């Protein structure tokens, strides 16, 4: 049996990612994390920038390490990051989380729902792991999301606001998807039904109602009235955060979230829609010539940006692992995705994952920037695959 079909093999993959970041990511001078490690050899290329999402993801990652019986230092690393998140990213005067810091000095106070969702996720996983302060951070982040971003008329979250909480007109899929993920984690951490209800509402509203306007596919960008903005950034196909087109990776990620929701809710549509979205991800996104999933495509599956991103494939791995518990055919995709990823996307020397390759699997640059994802996607989905194996000992066989 291949290593990724065993708990031991998945644990090895999981620990490799943690080991890539620790201890170099621990900022003992300023606090928090140094998240900007070069994906090729691990050298620090930016020791000062503190990005809200990177900080929250670090807390999440090391909390998962505690939950997965990882190295003893995971608890210390999670506690270290949570203190910085609580004390330095939080703006007490305006009651929100600052987006970008230079050391401890704020550089950008823009309020992003996406960032607040990751704080909620960090608080949830810290709570599960028994990290002091985790529950308080969970509740504070949820309160801000509800008071500042939630729009009852649309039953979805707004996307962005000024430092003083003036909402922008843009509405986005991505922030709501990660809010749904964080709310599910909050429910698993606390058993509080309000988190489960909110996550279910978002999933139902977005994946069944909003997507009806685009034939069931997940568009990324919307007006303030939640109408698809089909021309958004059409002149910027390589926009880092808001590219035009359909993203196969987000179809797989929503499939994963619906499969997790189905563990807690009995509605049949959850697994049906999860299968639909995963099937759409691979039907639209799989590159038959070079292998792997495209980054963005049009409605016919023609690639807009044909690059291969590490996070896309880890999300598809997590989704296929969960779906294979209900339909063994998804185990074939699980195998295929792992085989492709181990050949191309995982750093063979260190075990971390590359951010982006070209369609033909070339590396076109160092992928440096402040907005990094320090192992969050591979760790999350290795952990979910381990959970799938624990829930169903015969899964993938």
């Amino acid at each position: 049996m291949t290593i990724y079909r065993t708990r031991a093999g998945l644990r090895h993959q999981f620990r490799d990612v943690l080991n890539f970041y620790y201890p170099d990511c621990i900022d003992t001078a300023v606090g928090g994390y140094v998240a900007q490690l070069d994906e090729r050899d691990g050298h620090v290329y930016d020791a000062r920038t503190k990005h809200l999402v990177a900080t929250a993801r670090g807390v999440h990652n090391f909390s998962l390490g505690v939950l997965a019986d990882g190295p003893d230092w995971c608890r210390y690393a999670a506690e270290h990051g949570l203190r910085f998140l609580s004390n330095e990213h939080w703006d007490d005067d305006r009651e929100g989380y600052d987006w970008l810091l230079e050391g401890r000095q704020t550089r950008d106070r823009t309020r992003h729902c996406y960032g607040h969702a990751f704080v909620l996720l960090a608080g949830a996983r810290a709570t599960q792991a028994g990290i002091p302060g985790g529950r308080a951070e969970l509740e504070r982040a949820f309160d801000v999301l509800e008071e500042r971003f939630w729009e009852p008329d649309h039953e979805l979250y707004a996307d962005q606001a000024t430092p003083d909480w003036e909402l922008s007109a843009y509405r986005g899929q991505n922030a709501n998807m990660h809010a749904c993920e964080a709310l599910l984690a909050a429910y698993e951490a606390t058993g509080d039904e309000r988190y489960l209800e909110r996550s279910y509402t978002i999933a139902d509203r977005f994946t069944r109602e909003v997507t009806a306007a685009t034939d069931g596919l997940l568009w990324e960008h919307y007006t303030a009235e939640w109408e698809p903005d089909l021309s958004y950034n059409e002149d910027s196909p390589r926009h880092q955060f808001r590219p035009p087109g359909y993203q196969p990776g987000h179809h797989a990620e929503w499939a994963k979230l619906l499969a997790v929701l189905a563990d807690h809710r009995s509605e049949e549509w959850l697994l049906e829609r999860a299968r639909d979205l995963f099937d759409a991800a691979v039907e639209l996104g799989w590159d038959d010539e070079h292998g792997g999933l495209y980054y963005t495509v049009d409605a016919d599956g023609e690639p807009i940006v044909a690059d291969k991103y590490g996070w896309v494939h880890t999300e598809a791995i997590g989704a296929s692992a969960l779906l294979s518990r209900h339909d063994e055919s998804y185990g074939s995709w699980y195998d295929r995705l792992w085989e492709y990823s181990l050949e191309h996307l995982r750093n063979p020397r260190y075990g971390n994952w590359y951010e982006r390759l070209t369609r033909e699997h070339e590396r076109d640059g160092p992928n440096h920037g402040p907005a990094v994802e320090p192992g969050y996607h591979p760790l999350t989905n290795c952990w979910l695959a381990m959970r799938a194996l624990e829930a169903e000992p015969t899964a993938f066989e």
Side-chain angles (χ1 to χ4, degrees), residues 20-33:
F20 176 76
Y21 289 97
Y22 186 88
D24 292 344
C25 74
I26 302 296
D27 190 338
T28 56
V30 174
Y33 303 122

Side-chain angles (χ1 to χ4, degrees), residues 30-32 50 80-89 101 103:
V30 174
K50 310 289 186 181
H80 178 84
L82 185 61
R83 281 194 299 271
F84 189 87
L85 180 63
S86 300
N87 296 325
E88 305 302 333
H89 278 286
L101 309 180

Side-chain angles (χ1 to χ4, degrees), residues 39-61:
E39 62 185 10
R40 298 162 298 182
D41 59 18
H43 79 265
V44 174
Y45 62 84
D46 177 358
R48 293 287 296 165
T49 303
K50 310 289 186 181
H51 196 289
L52 176 62
V53 175
T55 301
R57 285 177 171 177
V59 175
H60 161 274
N61 293 350

Side-chain angles (χ1 to χ4, degrees), residues 6-321:
T6 68
R7 295 184 188 91
L10 289 168
R11 186 179 298 277
H12 180 74
Q13 302 283 329
F14 185 91
R15 289 175 68 110
D16 278 353
V17 177
L18 288 173
N19 286 328
F20 176 76
Y21 289 97
Y22 186 88
D24 292 344
C25 74
I26 302 296
D27 190 338
T28 56
V30 174
Y33 303 122
V34 176
Q36 290 80 19
L37 274 60
D38 185 275
E39 62 185 10
R40 298 162 298 182
D41 59 18
H43 79 265
V44 174
Y45 62 84
D46 177 358
R48 293 287 296 165
T49 303
K50 310 289 186 181
H51 196 289
L52 176 62
V53 175
T55 301
R57 285 177 171 177
V59 175
H60 161 274
N61 293 350
F62 290 117
S63 296
L64 281 192
V66 175
L67 292 170
D69 296 323
D72 291 342
W73 42 255
C74 286
R75 182 172 296 278
Y76 157 73
E79 292 173 349
H80 178 84
L82 185 61
R83 281 194 299 271
F84 189 87
L85 180 63
S86 300
N87 296 325
E88 305 302 333
H89 278 286
W90 176 253
D91 180 350
D92 201 44
D93 293 333
R94 300 171 181 84
E95 296 189 332
Y97 293 92
D98 290 342
W99 185 242
L100 206 62
L101 309 180
E102 187 77 15
R104 293 194 184 99
Q105 300 301 311
T106 299
R107 205 167 86 196
D108 184 351
R109 292 190 191 277
T110 306
R111 310 301 182 206
H112 292 272
C113 177
Y114 179 83
H116 286 68
F118 272 104
V119 177
L120 176 60
L121 180 65
R125 296 305 184 207
T127 300
Q128 282 183 291
I131 305 301
R135 182 65 180 265
E137 210 61 48
L138 181 164
E139 292 176 353
R140 182 162 71 174
F142 179 69
D143 287 344
V144 178
L145 284 165
E146 289 295 289
E147 292 171 12
R148 297 296 191 176
F149 290 106
W150 182 251
E151 297 187 298
D153 291 346
H154 298 290
E155 294 186 306
L156 291 166
Y157 288 111
D159 196 89
Q160 183 176 320
T162 66
D164 294 315
W165 294 108
E166 181 180 349
L167 291 175
S168 74
Y170 175 84
R171 300 291 181 270
Q173 177 282 136
N174 202 22
N176 281 276
M177 179 181 70
H178 284 290
C180 181
E181 173 192 30
L183 289 159
L184 274 169
Y187 170 70
E188 292 179 345
T190 66
D192 190 330
E193 290 286 337
R194 63 179 171 160
Y195 301 126
L196 181 61
E197 287 298 322
R198 180 64 85 228
S199 67
Y200 179 85
T201 296
I202 295 168
D204 188 13
R205 176 82 176 96
F206 189 81
T207 68
R208 291 210 293 177
E209 296 181 27
V210 172
T211 57
T214 47
D215 295 326
L217 297 178
L218 307 174
W219 190 249
E220 298 289 321
H221 315 294
Y222 295 83
T223 69
E225 297 302 315
W226 278 96
E227 296 295 330
D229 188 349
L230 298 177
S231 63
Y232 189 88
N233 272 349
E234 62 183 356
D235 296 328
S236 302
R238 289 188 173 273
H239 193 281
Q240 184 177 4
F241 300 112
R242 296 178 179 178
Y246 296 95
Q247 295 194 35
H250 283 160
H251 285 69
E253 199 161 357
W254 266 114
K256 177 191 78 174
L257 294 177
L258 294 180
V260 174
L261 259 172
D263 289 339
H264 305 297
R265 301 278 301 221
S266 60
E267 289 84 351
E268 292 184 1
W269 74 265
L270 289 164
L271 283 176
E272 292 171 359
R273 190 74 176 108
R275 294 186 186 99
D276 289 345
L277 290 172
F278 185 90
D279 293 348
V282 295
E283 288 169 9
L284 289 174
W286 189 261
D287 182 347
D288 289 327
E289 183 176 356
H290 297 284
L293 291 162
Y294 298 128
Y295 181 45
T296 55
V297 300
D298 65 20
D300 294 323
E302 287 299 311
I304 298 172
V305 175
D307 293 350
K308 311 298 169 59
Y309 277 72
W311 73 263
V312 171
H313 295 79
T314 61
E315 290 300 326
I317 284 169
S320 59

Side-chain angles (χ1 to χ4, degrees), residues 317-391:
I317 284 169
S320 59
L322 294 177
L323 289 173
S324 70
R325 297 176 303 165
H326 307 281
D327 182 339
E328 63 183 16
S329 67
Y330 290 97
S332 297
W333 272 111
Y334 177 83
D335 290 341
R336 192 175 186 180
L337 288 157
W338 262 118
E339 289 163 3
Y340 172 84
S341 299
L342 291 176
E343 181 177 357
H344 298 293
L345 291 166
R346 184 175 177 272
N347 186 333
R349 182 174 181 183
Y350 295 103
N352 62 302
W353 288 56
Y354 298 131
E355 178 187 350
R356 183 186 71 250
L357 305 175
T358 67
R359 182 183 183 188
E360 296 82 12
H361 311 123
E362 300 296 323
R363 298 187 72 255
D364 59 356
N367 294 324
H368 287 176
V372 297
E373 74 93 356
Y376 151 76
H377 288 284
L379 285 170
T380 298
N381 290 288
C382 267
W383 186 65
L384 285 173
M386 286 190 281
R387 282 176 58 177
L389 280 171
E390 289 165 1

